Amino acid sequence: MSSPSATVRTDARSSDSGPIRYAAIAEVVAAALRRRILDGELADGDVIPKQDELMAEFDVGRTTLRQAIRILETEGLITVRRGKVGGSVVHSPTPQDAARMFGMVMHARHVTLDDLAQALRRLEPVCVALCTQRPDRTTAVLPRLREVHERMAAAIGDPLAYIRLSREFHEAIVAGCGNQTMQILLGMVETLWARQEQTWAEQSAADVSDEIRALGVREHQELIDLIADGDDSAAYRFAVRHLEGAHAYPLRGHGARPIDSDPPTH
């Protein structure tokens, strides 16, 4: 089986000349470098080899190589630095990168906040149950939840801080579920929901009383207790009810509004 660079050399010598040929070879070079990034051979923060080295390795011209680098730059996998300390710096893809593209797709399809909330209410309780099932939950899950919970309880009188910490608590549940697919998938949903919060957070801070916020703190404590007890079925059911209540305010005024992948900050 030939190496990626060998494949590029063969294509470079056998293809017809012209823009299409160069574009096709650039895609092959980009694919080879992309795999090195995704496989960890080129780590986050590394600088890819100099252009002359890559041209020699892949047996391509400078124009073709630059096209390949532009492909990776467009994908967010590298950043090209100019000047004396120039070079192409590697960026390993993150859940935040995935959330950005996910948000744009949702935005383009005019998905509503109500639709997003429905998915969140179905997915996050699964993460709660997974946290509850972890045999190491007393060390891998509960300390983080309790630490955020304490700060949230102390912020009842600071509505904007309370909203931020409530979101941090739910993100900690996702992060602690132990399933990487759910962490990435639901992490995208959570990130997009948090972006939408910007549009109603200040109004919510004015409209929602300290008593309602205190109720949210008590419900989070109940979730912590259920996770600690290891009762995944009860924890799942309680999480569904909790999220339905927590979503009541934003959905009442904003549920029919299409999602904005980059809502304005206030």
Side-chain angles (χ1 to χ4, degrees):
M1 184 174 180
S2 60
S3 68
S5 57
T7 301
V8 173
R9 287 195 294 269
T10 300
D11 288 348
R13 290 168 178 171
S14 62
S15 300
D16 293 334
S17 61
I20 295 177
R21 168 195 177 233
Y22 292 119
I25 298 170
E27 290 282 357
V28 176
V29 174
L33 293 174
R34 184 187 302 113
R35 178 167 292 279
R36 293 177 190 178
I37 294 171
L38 299 180
D39 287 347
E41 184 180 340
L42 289 170
D44 190 71
D46 283 352
V47 177
I48 68 172
K50 295 180 179 180
Q51 288 193 12
D52 288 344
E53 295 176 29
L54 292 174
M55 288 165 56
E57 176 186 351
F58 293 110
D59 195 14
V60 297
R62 195 173 301 276
T63 298
T64 300
L65 180 62
R66 286 176 175 171
Q67 288 177 332
I69 290 174
R70 279 197 294 270
I71 291 170
L72 298 177
E73 189 175 20
T74 301
E75 294 173 350
L77 292 175
I78 63 172
T79 297
V80 178
R81 297 185 308 198
R82 314 295 178 186
K84 293 182 179 179
V85 291
S88 298
V89 182
V90 171
H91 299 293
S92 297
T94 66
Q96 290 72 30
D97 297 327
R100 191 176 303 111
M101 179 57 69
F102 173 71
M104 288 192 289
V105 172
M106 300 281 277
H107 190 154
R109 295 192 178 189
H110 309 290
V111 176
T112 65
L113 185 64
D114 190 31
D115 191 277
L116 180 67
Q118 185 178 29
L120 192 55
R121 290 196 300 272
R122 295 298 179 268
L123 291 172
E124 189 174 313
V126 174
C127 288
V128 171
L130 289 171
C131 287
T132 308
Q133 293 167 0
R134 290 189 63 160
D136 62 348
R137 61 187 178 279
T138 58
T139 57
V141 178
L142 292 170
R144 172 63 174 158
L145 291 181
R146 286 170 175 153
E147 184 270 327
V148 177
H149 179 70
E150 288 179 6
R151 288 190 285 126
M152 182 179 168
I156 288 176
D158 185 346
L160 291 178
Y162 175 92
I163 291 171
R164 184 180 66 254
L165 288 165
S166 178
R167 176 55 38 210
E168 190 174 333
F169 181 88
H170 288 272
E171 290 171 350
I173 287 175
V174 176
C177 77
N179 182 283
Q180 291 193 56
T181 301
M182 286 297 291
Q183 288 168 349
I184 295 171
L185 175 63
L186 190 51
M188 292 190 298
V189 178
E190 294 272 9
T191 297
L192 189 55
W193 177 268
R195 289 175 185 166
Q196 309 315 300
E197 273 186 345
Q198 298 175 41
T199 63
W200 73 74
E202 291 186 4
Q203 188 62 46
S204 174
D207 292 349
V208 176
S209 67
D210 285 356
E211 289 75 17
I212 296 297
R213 285 188 281 273
L215 174 61
V217 168
R218 291 196 297 273
E219 290 188 353
H220 280 190
Q221 182 62 60
E222 179 69 16
L223 268 178
I224 290 173
D225 292 342
L226 288 168
I227 291 172
D229 290 343
D231 190 341
D232 58 327
S233 296
Y236 176 91
R237 292 193 298 270
F238 187 84
V240 171
R241 295 195 300 273
H242 168 65
L243 288 169
E244 287 174 349
H247 290 169
Y249 176 84
L251 295 181
R252 184 171 66 246
H254 305 275
R257 180 176 56 80
I259 288 167
D260 189 341
S261 60
D262 190 21
T265 56
H266 298 286

